[in-house]
Amino acid sequence: MDLGRGLRLRNPLLVASGTFGYGVEYADVVDIERLGAICCKGTTLRPRQGNRPPRVTETPAGMLNSIGLQNPGVDAVLERYAAQWAGWRVPVIVNVAGESIEDYVQVVRKLDLVPGIAGVELNISCPNVGKGGLQFAIDQDAAAAVTRAVRRATELPLIVKLSPNVADIRPIAVAIADAGADALSAINTLSGMALRRDRSGPFLGNTYGGLSGPAIKPVALRIVYEVAQVVGIPIIAIGGVTGLDDVLDFLAAGAVAVQVGTAIFADPTLPVRLVDELTAECGRRGLASYRPLVGTALPGRTGAASSRGVEYRP
Amino acid sequence: MDLGRGLRLRNPLLVASGTFGYGVEYADVVDIERLGAICCKGTTLRPRQGNRPPRVTETPAGMLNSIGLQNPGVDAVLERYAAQWAGWRVPVIVNVAGESIEDYVQVVRKLDLVPGIAGVELNISCPNVGKGGLQFAIDQDAAAAVTRAVRRATELPLIVKLSPNVADIRPIAVAIADAGADALSAINTLSGMALRRDRSGPFLGNTYGGLSGPAIKPVALRIVYEVAQVVGIPIIAIGGVTGLDDVLDFLAAGAVAVQVGTAIFADPTLPVRLVDELTAECGRRGLASYRPLVGTALPGRTGAASSRGVEYRP
Amino acid sequence: MQLVDAELQESRQILPGQWLQQYHAPALAAGARAGQFVHVRGDWSGLVLRRPFTINTADPVTGTISIHFREVGRGTAWLTRLRPGERIDMLGPLGQGFQVDPRSRHLLLVAGGLGIADVRLLVDEALRDGRQVVLLYGCRDASEVYPSSLLPDEVEYLVATDDGSVGHKGFVTDLVLEYEAWADQAFACGPLPMLRTLAGLVAGRKGRLGVATLGRKRGGGRPVPPGSPAARRRSFLQVAMEQNMGCAVGACLGCVIWGVDGPQRVCREGPVFAYDEIDWDATAGPGTHAQ
Amino acid sequence: MQLVDAELQESRQILPGQWLQQYHAPALAAGARAGQFVHVRGDWSGLVLRRPFTINTADPVTGTISIHFREVGRGTAWLTRLRPGERIDMLGPLGQGFQVDPRSRHLLLVAGGLGIADVRLLVDEALRDGRQVVLLYGCRDASEVYPSSLLPDEVEYLVATDDGSVGHKGFVTDLVLEYEAWADQAFACGPLPMLRTLAGLVAGRKGRLGVATLGRKRGGGRPVPPGSPAARRRSFLQVAMEQNMGCAVGACLGCVIWGVDGPQRVCREGPVFAYDEIDWDATAGPGTHAQ
Ligand SMILES: Cc1cc2nc3c(=O)[nH]c(=O)nc-3n(C[C@H](O)[C@H](O)[C@H](O)COP(=O)(O)OP(=O)(O)OC[C@H]3O[C@@H](n4cnc5c(N)ncnc54)[C@H](O)[C@@H]3O)c2cc1C
Ligand SMILES: Cc1cc2nc3c(=O)[nH]c(=O)nc-3n(C[C@H](O)[C@H](O)[C@H](O)COP(=O)(O)OP(=O)(O)OC[C@H]3O[C@@H](n4cnc5c(N)ncnc54)[C@H](O)[C@@H]3O)c2cc1C
Ligand SMILES: Cc1cc2nc3c(=O)[nH]c(=O)nc-3n(C[C@H](O)[C@H](O)[C@H](O)COP(=O)(O)O)c2cc1C
Ligand SMILES: Cc1cc2nc3c(=O)[nH]c(=O)nc-3n(C[C@H](O)[C@H](O)[C@H](O)COP(=O)(O)O)c2cc1C
Ligand code: FES
Ligand code: FES
C-alpha cells in the first residue's frame, strides 16, 4: 500500500501515536517488524514535561488520557532513536505537534532526510498560540495553513491527523488535502473528563482528557465514511479497533489502513495478530489483497457526499 | 428545584426525550409520578414518519439511534396526551424540534397555556433549512435566534438542549443563555455510525445515528463542566447515566438535575430508584437537600473558566 | 407487561448453535399469548440493551416459559453460559400475538429456521382449542431440522431442506400450495425473503385462496380498521416480524418497519402483522433471526 | 518482561475484602524481584485496561507467584470471582524493584495497609540472603491486621492501629524512630501521607540517620546518576509508588508522578524510587492502594 511519496507499507496495520512509545518499549513481547508502520509518540520542537498526573483513567469501554505531549524534543528523539529506526524493516512515522506553524515547520525540517524517518503525521489537535489557543484542527484555514507550510518544508510523506471535536469534518479534510497532505489519519481523541472519587475536582491533573477506545468507534467510523467521500487521498482510520471486525469496518468505510491504539494496552500482540487475521480473511474470500475490501460500504459514485453538514437528526 | 419561571421539580431525576415516549408506555412497570419530570419524544409542527429502519443498534457501552423525529405532530400530541398529563403530578416537558425558526415558534405557540405542559425543551440538533442544512446547535447565532424567537412566543419555562458535536460549546451556551433560555440541557447524542454485517453499506436506514449511553459520559461530563462555568442559568445533565455515581458526578460538575436516557431500556425502574438512592446518599451525608452536592468539582470563583477553546492536548 | 425475575431451570442445545431454555416465571407463563415476546436483560457488563425473544412455550400450570434461540452474538453467547438456578430479568409479555379466528378449524403454520420459535406456542394453543395444525418447516439441511420430538403428535409436520437431505428439496414456501385451500388461516415466521414470497403468493392468489378463507366468507360487510385484531383475523396470512429494539414497549420508536400506512412498531403494533399491513418493498432490516 | 498465561491455583480472602491469590506462572516466578509488578488482563468485557498488582511472593521452585489485593472496583471484583484452574494473561515482571545494598544487614520495612504486598517479597529475599528484617505495619483497626501466620517467623513484626485495638495506637510512622538508628536501609509502601511523612522524617533527620547508613559511610565519593540502582541503594529510604497505568511498559507516559527532575514513569523508573527522587509537594494522585 502506498500512502504517497513512496511511503509503502507491507500491511495496513499500524500502531497509533502515543500508545506504542518509540517502538522499543514493547519489543520484548511484540515482533514489531511485522507491523505495517509505527507512529511514534508526539514530538515537539523543545522538550515537554507534559501534564500533571494523574494522566489516565478508565471509562465505559474507553479511557481518558491527558499526557500533554511529554517528549524529550525532536533533537533528543532523533539522537536516541533514529539510528535504531533506520535499521528496522518497519517504517517509523514521526507524529509531530506544535503550538505555531513555525514549530511544526522546524520540527519537520529536522526530520527531513534523516535516515529512519519514513514519514510525518501531523497532530494538529494542539492549541494554536497564534489563534488565541484555538486548535489548528478545528479551523479549516489554520489546518490548511499548517499543512501547506509543512508541505513546503519537506519531501517526507505527510499525513495529517483529524480531530473529531468539530461540527463538520468535511471542509477541514478537503482543505488539508488541497493544501498538499499525502494522506489523512482519523481520528484523534474526543474531548472528555472524569472526576475524582470524592468529587472535589477533575480527576486528571489537566482537567480535560482525550477519550479513546471502543466507545469512540462509532464516531471514528462516521468520520472516516464522511471524509472518504470528499477527498481523493488515502485515509488511515483510528479509533477503538479491538478486532478484525473493526478493521474490516474501517476498510469498508473507505480507509486504506488502520491504526490500533488503546487496545494495545490490553493486548500488545493484537496489531500483529490482526495482520495475520486480515490475511486469513482475504484468503477465505479468495482475495489476493485486501484492497477490494476498501470502500464497500461507501455510496456509489452517483450518490455522492452530502454537503449539508452533519445530517444526523436524533 | 426551580428550573425557571416556576418549573419546580420535586427531585432532580428526569427521563430523557425519546427514551420514555409520552410517559404512558412504561406506566405498567414504573411509578412515573415519582419522577422529577418527563421529557417527551421530540415534537414537530407537522407529523413526521421518521427515518427508514433499522433505527437502532448497539455499540460498545452505547447505542446508535436514528429515529428521525417520528411523531404525530404537535396537534395530535396535545390531543392524545395533554389532558392525561394535566392529571399527573409529574411535570411533562415537551421536547420540540423544527427545521426553521418559524417551525419552533409555531409549535411552542400551540403549547403555550395548554394545561399539562410544564415546560419546553428545544432540541436544536436539527438541520436548519434556512442555513442550508446546518444544525441550529452548531452555530451560536442560529442557536441564539431560535431561542430568542421562542422566548418571545411563550411564557413557558424554556430549556435549550445542547449538542456535543461542536468544537467549543461555551460561546453557544452563552449565546443561548443571553437569548433568554431559563435552563440548558446537555448533551444530545454524538454523531456516529455503524455498518451492515456484510459491510455493503451503513446499518442504519439513515446512514448516521446518534451515539448515547455510558460511552459518551466523559464527553457529557466535560460539556456540563465547561458550560457550568460560563452561564448563570441551571443546567440539566444528560449522557450515559446508569447509576448514582453518574448522578453525583454530574451534580458535582455543576448540573442541578440529571436526565436518564438509554439506561432506561435496560432498566426502566432506574430513574425512580435513583430518586431513592440520591435521598439515601444525602441522608448518609447529613444533608437536607442535594443542593450542596452541586458544583463541588468546579474550580473556585477565582480560577474561572478558560476562554481559550478546548484546551485538551493529547 | 411486567418486570419478572426469571429463574433458569433447564438449558440445552437442541440443534447446533440453537438453545432451548426453560425459565420459571409464573407471571409470564400465565399471561403469554402465542406470538408475544420477552425482553431479556442479562448481567452482560458492557451491553446496554436487552434482547428480545419470542415466548416459545408457556405453561401456566408449572409457571414456566421457554425461549429457543440461536447463538449469534455477545448477548446470546452470554445466555448460553447461564446455569440452572441463576436468574435474569425479563420484561413481558410484550407485543401483539397471533389472532386466531374462533371459527378457524385448519391452521397452516409456516416456519423458516428459528422462525419455529414464533409459531411453536401457537401449535399448543391451537391443539388445545381443538383445531387442526399443519406445520411446514424449512431449513438448510438435515442438521438443522427441528426435532419432531419437541412437537405434539397431533401436528402434521412437513420439512423442506435447501439440499433435500430431509423432506422436500427446496423452499418451504413450495409446500404451501398444497395446503392453501385446506387452510382457514396461515401464520408464518422466518427470513424476510420467505415472508415476502408468502405474501406474494397470498396476494397474487387472493381470489382463489379467498374461496376457502373465513374472511372471504364473511365478505364485504362492515369496515375494520387496519391493524386491529379483527382485521388481522380476516387476513389469510399473519406474519411475525423482527427489528432491532430499544425499549420494546413502544416508547423509543426504534423498532419500526415500514407498513403500507407508514412506520409500524414491531414491539407494539407487532411483532405479528397481517401480511397486507407490510410494505414489503420498503421493508429491509437486519434480517430476522430465522435463518 | 513476558506475556504469560497464568493459572489460578488458590484464592482466598485473608482479610475483609482482601484477597490472596496464587498463580502458576513459572516464567514470572523465576524472574521476579521484590517491588516488581504484573499487569493483569481479565476477560472483563467492557474494561479496556489491564490492572497492575505487585508480585507479593514468588517461588521459582514451584513456579508460583501470588498477588494480594483489595477489592475496590470492577477489575478487582472480577478477579475475586476467578476459580482455580482458570487462566489469565499477565504481563511481567515489570518495573524496578527494591535495591538492597549487598552490605546491608538490617532492613526496616514499613507498610501501610495493602502496602504490605509491596514489601512482602522483600522479606523473603532479605531472609534468604541472611539479613535481619523489622516489619512495621499500620492499619485502621484489629480487623485489618495482616496475619503474622503469613510471615516467616524470623521477621520482627510490629503493628500500629489507628484505634489502638492492636499494637501501638497511632501511625505506623511513629514506630520508625525506634528503628532508624538500627536500620541500614528502609523500604516503604503505603498511603501517600504515610510516605510523605516518612520522607520528611528521613530528610529532616538526615544528619542523625545518616550516621548509621551505609550511604553515609561510603561518603562523598564518585557521583551516581539520580535514579540509578546505585543512587537508590545509597538513599536511606526507598518507596514504592503508585499511579494509574495504561501500558505499564513505559510507552504511554500515562503513569508519571512528579519527581524532582520532572516526570517519572512509575512503570519504568519505578515503582520503587529513592525518597529524594520524588517531588513530594507536587505528587498527588489516586492515592495508593495501601489504604
Ligand atoms: C420480537 C423479536 C423476537 C425474537 N425472537 C427470537 C427467538 O425466539 N429466537 C432467536 O434466536 N432470536 C430471536 N430474535 C432475534 C434476537 O433478538 C437476536 O438474535 C438477539 O438479540 C441477538 O443478540 P446478540 O447479542 O447475541 O447479537 P448481536 O448481533 O451482538 O446483537 C447486537 C444488537 O443487535 C440486536 N439484534 C441483532 N440481531 C437482531 C435481530 N435479528 N432482531 C432484533 N435485534 C437484533 C440485538 O438486540 C443487539 O441490540 C427476536 C427478535 C425480535 C425483535
Ligand atoms: C505498580 C502498582 C502496583 C499495585 N499493586 C497492588 C497490590 O499489590 N494490591 C492492590 O490491592 N492494589 C495494587 N495496586 C492498585 C491496583 O492496581 C488497583 O487497586 C486496581 O487497579 C483497581 O482496579 P479496579 O478495577 O478494581 O478499580 P477501579 O477503581 O474500578 O479501576 C478504575 C481504573 O483506575 C485504575 N486504578 C484504580 N485505583 C488505582 C490505583 N490505586 N493504582 C493504580 N491504578 C488504579 C485501574 O487500573 C483502572 O484503570 C497497584 C497499583 C500499581 C500502580
Ligand atoms: C495514552 C495516549 C496517548 C496519545 N498520544 C498521542 C499523541 O502524542 N499524538 C497523537 O496524535 N495522538 C495521540 N493519541 C491518540 C491516539 O493516537 C489515537 O488517535 C486515539 O487513541 C484513538 O485510537 P484508539 O481508540 O485505538 O486508542 C494518544 C492516545 C492515548 C490513549
Ligand atoms: C432512541 C432515542 C431517541 C431519542 N430521541 C430524542 C428526541 O426526540 N429529542 C431529543 O432532544 N433527544 C433525543 N434523544 C437523545 C436523548 O434524549 C439523550 O440526550 C441522549 O440519549 C443522551 O443520554 P443517554 O446517554 O442517557 O441516553 C434520543 C435518544 C435515544 C437513545
Ligand atoms: S423498541 Fe422502542 S418502540 Fe419498539
Ligand atoms: S503506564 Fe504507560 S508509561 Fe507507564
Side-chain angles (χ1 to χ4, degrees):
Chain A
M1 189 211 0
D2 194 336
L3 287 176
R5 284 175 210 247
L7 176 52
R8 289 208 178 73
L9 312 186
R10 270 169 313 127
N11 68 64
L13 270 302
L14 294 77
V15 288
S17 174
T19 63
F20 212 75
Y22 297 95
V24 298
E25 292 84 351
Y26 275 113
D28 277 6
V29 290
V30 180
D31 182 0
I32 55 169
E33 298 275 14
R34 298 205 51 222
L35 295 168
I38 292 171
C39 299
C40 81
K41 176 67 194 161
T43 303
T44 53
L45 188 56
R46 278 169 289 274
R48 282 179 58 102
Q49 295 215 327
N51 293 324
R52 291 269 140 169
R55 292 177 172 183
V56 296
T57 188
E58 187 156 343
T59 66
M63 66 176 285
L64 289 164
N65 88 79
S66 63
I67 309 301
L69 292 174
Q70 179 184 337
N71 81 100
V74 61
D75 293 332
V77 168
L78 288 177
E79 189 187 313
R80 289 183 205 169
Y81 304 108
Q84 201 169 353
W85 291 343
W88 290 354
R89 216 168 47 140
V90 54
V92 175
I93 296 165
V94 176
N95 182 278
V96 173
E99 297 191 335
S100 67
I101 291 180
E102 193 46 31
D103 277 5
Y104 283 98
V105 167
Q106 283 196 47
V107 173
V108 171
R109 281 233 178 82
K110 285 170 187 271
L111 299 175
D112 202 38
L113 301 179
V114 175
I117 312 297
V120 167
E121 181 182 50
L122 294 194
N123 169 7
I124 56 170
S125 306
C126 305
N128 175 357
V129 285
K131 279 233 176 184
L134 280 184
Q135 293 175 25
F136 288 99
I138 66 174
D139 183 280
Q140 72 183 76
D141 298 331
V146 68
T147 306
R148 212 175 299 114
V150 167
R151 175 72 299 162
R152 274 196 296 264
T154 182
E155 282 299 309
L156 280 169
L158 175 58
I159 303 162
V160 179
K161 187 165 177 177
L162 303 176
S163 161
N165 302 304
V166 298
D168 190 352
I169 194 70
R170 287 170 289 197
I172 299 170
V174 169
I176 293 170
D178 290 347
D182 296 309
L184 296 172
S185 57
I187 57 175
N188 214 315
T189 53
L190 287 162
S191 179
M193 79 180 287
L195 300 185
R196 286 193 208 126
R197 283 207 179 186
D198 66 3
R199 302 191 174 84
S200 60
F203 177 80
L204 298 171
N206 182 49
T207 301
Y208 305 115
L211 183 63
S212 62
I216 70 167
K217 186 195 148 188
V219 175
L221 194 65
R222 188 255 305 169
I223 288 184
V224 168
Y225 180 87
E226 288 181 325
V227 172
Q229 293 174 68
V230 295
V231 302
I233 58 178
I235 300 165
I236 306 168
I238 326 172
V241 172
T242 62
L244 183 65
D245 277 338
D246 303 313
V247 173
L248 297 175
D249 276 355
F250 280 120
L251 295 177
V256 299
V258 167
Q259 293 184 18
V260 186
T262 302
I264 292 171
F265 300 154
D267 183 1
T269 63
L270 177 69
V272 168
R273 211 171 57 244
L274 288 176
V275 174
D276 295 332
E277 290 185 12
L278 182 59
T279 308
E281 178 70 17
C282 291
R284 240 190 319 277
R285 300 187 188 210
L287 302 175
S289 119
Y290 72 91
R291 290 308 293 252
L293 303 176
V294 173
T296 57
L298 292 174
R301 298 265 172 273
T302 47
S306 158
S307 54
R308 295 195 314 133
V310 180
E311 301 100 335
Y312 159 64
R313 313 176 188 192
Chain B
M1 189 212 1
D2 194 335
L3 287 176
R5 285 176 208 244
L7 177 52
R8 290 207 178 74
L9 312 186
R10 270 168 313 127
N11 68 64
L13 270 303
L14 294 76
V15 288
S17 174
T19 63
F20 211 75
Y22 297 94
V24 299
E25 292 83 351
Y26 275 113
D28 278 6
V29 290
V30 180
D31 183 0
I32 55 170
E33 298 275 10
R34 298 206 51 223
L35 295 167
I38 293 171
C39 299
C40 81
K41 176 65 193 163
T43 303
T44 53
L45 188 57
R46 277 170 288 273
R48 283 178 58 101
Q49 295 215 327
N51 293 324
R52 292 269 140 170
R55 293 177 171 182
V56 296
T57 189
E58 187 156 345
T59 67
M63 67 176 283
L64 288 165
N65 88 79
S66 63
I67 309 301
L69 292 173
Q70 179 184 336
N71 81 102
V74 61
D75 293 332
V77 168
L78 288 177
E79 190 186 312
R80 290 183 205 170
Y81 305 107
Q84 200 168 356
W85 291 344
W88 290 353
R89 218 167 46 143
V90 54
V92 175
I93 295 165
V94 176
N95 182 278
V96 173
E99 297 192 336
S100 67
I101 291 181
E102 193 47 30
D103 278 5
Y104 283 98
V105 168
Q106 283 197 45
V107 174
V108 171
R109 281 233 179 84
K110 285 171 188 270
L111 299 175
D112 202 38
L113 301 179
V114 176
I117 313 297
V120 167
E121 180 181 51
L122 293 194
N123 169 7
I124 56 170
S125 306
C126 303
N128 173 356
V129 284
K131 279 231 175 182
L134 280 185
Q135 294 175 22
F136 288 98
I138 66 175
D139 182 278
Q140 72 185 76
D141 298 330
V146 68
T147 306
R148 211 174 300 114
V150 168
R151 174 74 298 162
R152 274 197 296 265
T154 182
E155 282 299 309
L156 281 169
L158 175 60
I159 303 161
V160 179
K161 187 164 176 176
L162 303 176
S163 162
N165 302 304
V166 299
D168 189 353
I169 195 69
R170 287 170 289 198
I172 299 170
V174 169
I176 293 170
D178 290 347
D182 296 308
L184 297 172
S185 57
I187 57 175
N188 215 315
T189 52
L190 287 161
S191 180
M193 78 180 285
L195 300 186
R196 285 191 209 128
R197 284 208 177 183
D198 65 4
R199 301 190 176 85
S200 59
F203 177 79
L204 298 172
N206 183 50
T207 302
Y208 305 117
L211 183 63
S212 62
I216 69 167
K217 187 197 148 187
V219 176
L221 195 64
R222 188 256 304 167
I223 288 185
V224 169
Y225 180 87
E226 288 181 326
V227 172
Q229 293 173 69
V230 294
V231 301
I233 57 178
I235 299 166
I236 306 167
I238 326 172
V241 171
T242 63
L244 183 66
D245 277 339
D246 302 313
V247 173
L248 297 175
D249 276 357
F250 280 120
L251 295 177
V256 300
V258 166
Q259 294 183 18
V260 185
T262 301
I264 292 171
F265 299 155
D267 184 0
T269 63
L270 177 69
V272 167
R273 211 172 56 244
L274 288 175
V275 173
D276 295 331
E277 289 185 13
L278 181 59
T279 308
E281 178 70 16
C282 292
R284 243 193 316 279
R285 301 186 188 211
L287 301 175
S289 118
Y290 72 91
R291 291 307 292 251
L293 304 176
V294 173
T296 57
L298 292 174
R301 299 266 171 272
T302 48
S306 158
S307 54
R308 296 193 315 130
V310 181
E311 299 100 337
Y312 160 65
R313 311 176 190 194
Chain C
M1 166 172 93
Q2 298 181 55
L3 270 172
V4 169
D5 198 29
E7 181 185 326
L8 181 64
Q9 292 184 319
E10 203 194 319
S11 176
R12 61 198 174 102
Q13 202 168 354
I14 54 171
L15 289 169
Q18 292 184 33
W19 297 72
L20 184 64
Q21 293 191 327
Q22 180 176 300
Y23 290 89
H24 188 66
L28 297 177
R33 297 276 320 272
Q36 290 187 301
F37 66 102
V38 288
H39 211 29
V40 172
R41 182 187 190 199
D43 177 24
W44 37 53
S45 41
L47 295 186
V48 305
L49 296 177
R50 288 172 180 252
R51 298 290 188 263
F53 298 97
T54 303
I55 300 172
N56 180 66
T57 59
D59 185 342
V61 179
T62 58
T64 57
I65 65 157
S66 72
I67 60 174
H68 167 197
F69 63 91
R70 170 174 287 158
E71 185 181 339
V72 293
R74 277 178 59 197
T76 46
W78 185 92
L79 276 179
T80 66
R81 290 191 299 269
L82 207 64
R83 294 283 155 260
E86 295 184 309
R87 296 167 160 277
I88 56 174
D89 179 352
M90 289 187 178
L91 181 65
L94 299 167
Q96 311 302 320
F98 294 104
Q99 299 292 343
V100 180
D101 192 294
R103 291 166 298 167
S104 285
R105 306 303 319 149
H106 300 161
L107 305 193
L108 178 63
L109 278 44
V110 189
L114 255 295
I116 187 91
D118 288 71
V119 296
R120 179 64 192 77
L121 183 53
L122 185 56
V123 171
D124 291 347
E125 287 184 3
L127 295 175
R128 181 199 63 202
D129 297 342
R131 306 180 213 276
Q132 289 181 39
V133 176
V134 169
L135 170 59
L136 310 180
Y137 175 79
C139 60
R140 224 173 355 230
D141 58 36
S143 75
E144 293 193 341
V145 174
Y146 187 75
S148 57
S149 59
L150 292 174
L151 290 168
D153 292 339
E154 299 88 333
V155 185
E156 188 173 338
Y157 177 43
L158 281 92
V159 174
T161 53
D162 295 354
D163 66 354
S165 52
V166 174
H168 170 76
K169 176 172 160 65
F171 293 132
V172 65
T173 44
D174 304 342
L175 302 174
V176 168
L177 296 175
E178 221 167 298
Y179 291 90
E180 55 177 1
W182 168 84
D184 295 317
Q185 289 184 274
F187 305 90
C189 184
L192 207 55
M194 173 193 123
L195 298 181
R196 194 179 276 128
T197 304
L198 275 181
L201 270 177
V202 172
R205 300 170 188 222
K206 208 168 188 174
R208 186 163 61 79
L209 275 169
V211 178
T213 65
L214 300 166
R216 182 58 167 247
K217 280 186 203 128
R218 280 200 309 272
R222 72 205 140 77
V224 289
S228 65
R232 288 180 180 172
R233 274 196 297 273
R234 287 197 190 177
S235 165
F236 178 68
L237 174 67
Q238 290 169 44
V239 290
M241 302 296 288
E242 214 173 274
Q243 185 57 274
N244 276 23
M245 289 189 172
C247 66
V249 304
C252 75
L253 309 175
C255 66
V256 308
I257 54 172
W258 233 243
V260 289
D261 289 336
Q264 303 290 326
R265 295 170 297 182
V266 169
C267 75
R268 282 293 274 220
E269 285 79 50
V272 175
F273 296 89
Y275 81 96
D276 49 8
E277 291 176 58
I278 311 291
D279 178 345
W280 291 101
D281 297 327
T283 295
T288 68
H289 57 277
Q291 233 167 32
Chain D
M1 167 172 94
Q2 297 181 53
L3 269 172
V4 169
D5 197 30
E7 182 185 327
L8 181 64
Q9 292 183 319
E10 204 194 319
S11 176
R12 61 197 174 103
Q13 202 168 353
I14 55 170
L15 288 169
Q18 292 185 33
W19 297 71
L20 185 64
Q21 293 191 327
Q22 180 176 299
Y23 290 89
H24 188 66
L28 298 177
R33 296 274 320 274
Q36 289 187 302
F37 67 101
V38 287
H39 211 31
V40 172
R41 182 187 191 200
D43 177 22
W44 36 53
S45 42
L47 295 187
V48 306
L49 297 177
R50 288 172 180 255
R51 299 288 187 266
F53 299 97
T54 303
I55 300 172
N56 181 67
T57 61
D59 185 341
V61 179
T62 58
T64 58
I65 65 157
S66 71
I67 60 174
H68 167 197
F69 63 91
R70 172 174 286 159
E71 186 182 339
V72 294
R74 275 178 61 195
T76 46
W78 184 91
L79 277 179
T80 66
R81 291 191 299 267
L82 207 64
R83 295 283 155 263
E86 295 185 307
R87 296 167 160 279
I88 55 175
D89 178 354
M90 290 187 177
L91 181 64
L94 299 167
Q96 312 301 320
F98 294 103
Q99 300 291 343
V100 180
D101 192 294
R103 292 164 300 167
S104 284
R105 306 303 319 147
H106 300 161
L107 305 192
L108 179 63
L109 278 43
V110 189
L114 254 295
I116 186 92
D118 289 72
V119 296
R120 179 63 192 77
L121 183 53
L122 185 55
V123 171
D124 291 346
E125 287 184 3
L127 295 177
R128 181 198 62 202
D129 296 342
R131 308 181 212 276
Q132 288 181 36
V133 176
V134 169
L135 170 60
L136 309 180
Y137 176 78
C139 60
R140 224 176 352 233
D141 58 36
S143 75
E144 295 193 341
V145 174
Y146 187 75
S148 56
S149 59
L150 292 174
L151 289 168
D153 291 340
E154 300 87 331
V155 185
E156 188 174 337
Y157 178 41
L158 282 90
V159 175
T161 52
D162 295 355
D163 66 354
S165 51
V166 174
H168 169 76
K169 176 173 161 61
F171 293 134
V172 64
T173 43
D174 304 342
L175 302 174
V176 168
L177 297 176
E178 223 167 296
Y179 292 89
E180 55 178 2
W182 167 83
D184 296 317
Q185 288 184 277
F187 306 90
C189 184
L192 206 56
M194 173 193 123
L195 298 180
R196 194 179 276 128
T197 303
L198 275 180
L201 270 176
V202 172
R205 300 169 187 222
K206 207 167 188 174
R208 184 161 63 79
L209 274 169
V211 179
T213 65
L214 300 165
R216 183 61 166 242
K217 280 188 204 125
R218 282 199 307 272
R222 72 202 142 79
V224 289
S228 65
R232 287 180 180 172
R233 273 196 296 274
R234 288 198 188 175
S235 166
F236 177 67
L237 173 66
Q238 290 168 45
V239 291
M241 302 295 288
E242 214 173 275
Q243 185 57 273
N244 275 24
M245 290 189 171
C247 66
V249 303
C252 76
L253 308 175
C255 65
V256 308
I257 53 172
W258 234 244
V260 290
D261 290 336
Q264 302 290 325
R265 293 170 298 183
V266 169
C267 75
R268 282 292 274 222
E269 284 80 52
V272 175
F273 296 89
Y275 82 96
D276 49 8
E277 292 176 58
I278 311 291
D279 177 346
W280 292 101
D281 297 326
T283 293
T288 69
H289 56 277
Q291 232 165 32

